[in-house]
Amino acid sequence: MSNKQTEMKWFHVVSVMSVIAAIVIGLFIAIPYYNVWQQEMSGRAEFAKAEQNRKIRIEEAKANLEAEKLNAQAEIERAKGAAEAIRIENGSITPTYIQYLWVRQQSDLSDKTIIYIPTETNLPILEANRMNR
């Protein structure tokens, strides 16, 4: 091998080593900046998520408020109906009417509710034998 070829090999080795050293030094410089950028992006994502969750909670609260207003209006209408019913009955609620309202309310229930209506002596008719069947 000639002297010129040996110099060329050393030049290539030194060049490759220089490029590798430059890449390593570049990574040592770039990685901390990348970490900072990554943390900043992560923080922005967390902030956007928190902001979206806050907006969702606000919308849910508005929906609940609207539902409560509608429930209040429905209750007012029920009270108006009850007042009209009392007016029709000449201003007095009879025990029979109260029993009718209670039975009507029970019919809205989906389960099988047993209703005991008291007799003249205010004692209910019991069905003790019904459970044995």
Side-chain angles (χ1 to χ4, degrees):
M1 264 192 177
S2 72
N3 218 6
K4 191 167 189 162
Q5 288 178 340
T6 306
E7 284 179 19
M8 286 299 275
K9 282 186 179 182
W10 278 110
F11 178 73
H12 286 297
V13 169
V14 170
S15 296
V16 169
M17 294 298 281
S18 297
V19 168
I20 291 173
I23 290 173
V24 169
I25 290 172
L27 287 175
F28 278 123
I29 293 171
I31 287 176
Y33 285 107
Y34 172 76
N35 288 337
V36 169
W37 175 81
Q38 182 185 22
Q39 290 296 322
E40 183 179 343
M41 291 297 118
S42 177
R44 285 184 185 177
E46 287 289 328
F47 179 75
K49 184 178 179 181
E51 185 69 20
Q52 185 65 27
N53 288 340
R54 185 184 68 84
K55 287 179 183 178
I56 289 170
R57 285 193 308 272
I58 288 171
E59 290 302 317
E60 286 175 348
K62 286 179 183 178
N64 287 339
L65 177 63
E66 187 67 27
E68 290 300 321
K69 285 180 181 179
L70 292 174
N71 286 338
Q73 287 176 351
E75 194 63 35
I76 289 170
E77 291 302 317
R78 276 191 220 100
K80 285 179 183 177
E84 180 67 17
I86 291 171
R87 187 190 62 76
I88 291 171
E89 291 193 8
N90 295 325
S92 66
I93 297 179
T94 63
T96 306
Y97 182 68
I98 292 173
Q99 285 179 346
Y100 163 74
L101 291 177
W102 187 78
V103 169
R104 198 175 96 200
Q105 172 202 7
Q106 294 301 316
S107 68
D108 294 339
L109 300 176
S110 62
D111 62 352
K112 299 192 182 215
T113 304
I114 298 173
I115 301 170
Y116 294 104
I117 299 175
T119 60
E120 295 84 25
T121 60
N122 286 331
L123 295 173
I125 299 172
L126 300 177
E127 296 184 26
N129 292 331
R130 183 177 66 90
M131 294 296 178
N132 292 335
R133 290 184 216 156

